[in-house]
Amino acid sequence: MVSQFISPDKGKVKLLGDLDFPFPEGTHAIGRLDNHSEGLLLLTTNQKVTRLLFEGERPHQRTYLVRAKGHMLPETLQRLQQGVSIRISRDMHYVAVPHSVAIVPKPEGMPARPSEPPEKAPHTWLLITLTEGKYHQVRKMVGALKHRCQRLIRVSIEDMELGDMQPGEVRELEETVFFDRLKIVPDL
């Protein structure tokens, strides 16, 4: 699913508007997921939320569960923890340092995706928390270490967690709870 309501590729991709939910007029996504990623996607009608969350003085944490191809060695994990250089434009590189990163077991009950390599294929599950968001940053960080990202799931933004939500499930929250979990103070 593409994290938008309209697309020039309509009919070729599934859109948010295809979900069985009566979204209010003006609903938009905060922090997109590409069509190869999955997980928590925030939607709001408040135009100020994106600015408050991503352009505020305090960086906000976003956590991703990553299936990386191959077995990651401890020294490779340490390199990732210290930061790796990624390309952010044709002529620019950036040293991406995660807030935290750890090797973790596959979460219990996680369904396999149809395109996912078999469980017996060598892989490593990582939990990576960032406070910045460059284009395809997690994929580029893992790739810089010669481990291809096979699955990318955003599991939280600050205290807003994916938890047991299923693909396509929508949950509404009161605006005060929404702001509190994201640790942002709305403009009055």
Side-chain angles (χ1 to χ4, degrees):
M1 172 176 293
V2 178
S3 56
Q4 53 195 48
F5 286 92
I6 58 172
S7 170
D9 297 324
K10 184 157 178 60
K12 298 177 188 171
V13 295
K14 190 172 178 182
L15 302 170
L16 290 171
D18 296 332
L19 294 173
D20 185 25
F21 189 84
F23 291 105
E25 184 72 29
T27 300
H28 66 279
I30 305 169
R32 297 176 182 250
L33 292 171
D34 63 32
N35 59 346
H36 301 292
S37 302
E38 58 191 295
L40 181 65
L41 179 66
L42 303 179
L43 303 170
T44 185
T45 56
N46 186 327
Q47 297 292 325
K48 298 177 183 177
V49 173
T50 300
R51 181 182 53 77
L52 291 168
L53 189 60
F54 298 117
E55 298 171 14
E57 292 178 18
R58 187 182 147 286
H60 285 79
Q61 295 180 6
R62 295 173 291 286
T63 302
Y64 300 86
L65 183 62
V66 179
R67 178 181 162 146
K69 183 177 182 178
H71 295 295
M72 187 172 287
L73 299 172
E75 53 269 22
T76 306
L77 177 65
Q78 186 175 23
R79 282 182 51 211
L80 183 58
Q81 291 168 331
Q82 293 170 345
V84 293
S85 179
I86 61 171
R87 182 187 303 247
I88 57 171
S89 70
R90 185 175 184 181
D91 301 322
M92 287 183 59
H93 282 78
Y94 174 80
V95 176
V97 181
H99 176 75
S100 66
V101 61
I103 294 175
V104 296
K106 178 180 179 178
E108 292 289 324
M110 176 181 288
R113 289 179 69 182
S115 60
E116 191 173 6
E119 193 63 33
K120 65 182 178 187
H123 66 279
T124 303
W125 284 96
L126 301 167
L127 196 61
I128 301 175
T129 300
L130 305 174
T131 57
E132 60 205 5
K134 307 294 183 203
Y135 181 70
H136 288 260
Q137 182 172 340
V138 173
R139 292 183 190 284
K140 290 177 182 179
M141 290 171 70
V142 171
L145 299 167
K146 310 294 186 228
H147 289 270
R148 190 171 65 80
C149 183
Q150 296 178 320
R151 193 165 177 186
L152 179 64
I153 307 162
R154 183 166 46 208
V155 295
S156 70
I157 300 175
E158 284 296 339
D159 291 337
M160 189 80 71
E161 296 181 354
L162 181 61
D164 62 355
M165 288 185 72
Q166 297 301 305
E169 183 179 346
V170 179
R171 289 187 187 162
E172 281 189 271
L173 296 175
E174 291 292 326
E175 191 170 70
T176 54
V177 173
F178 185 77
F179 285 124
D180 185 54
R181 287 188 186 170
L182 293 177
K183 300 179 182 174
I184 55 177
V185 179
D187 294 337
L188 300 177

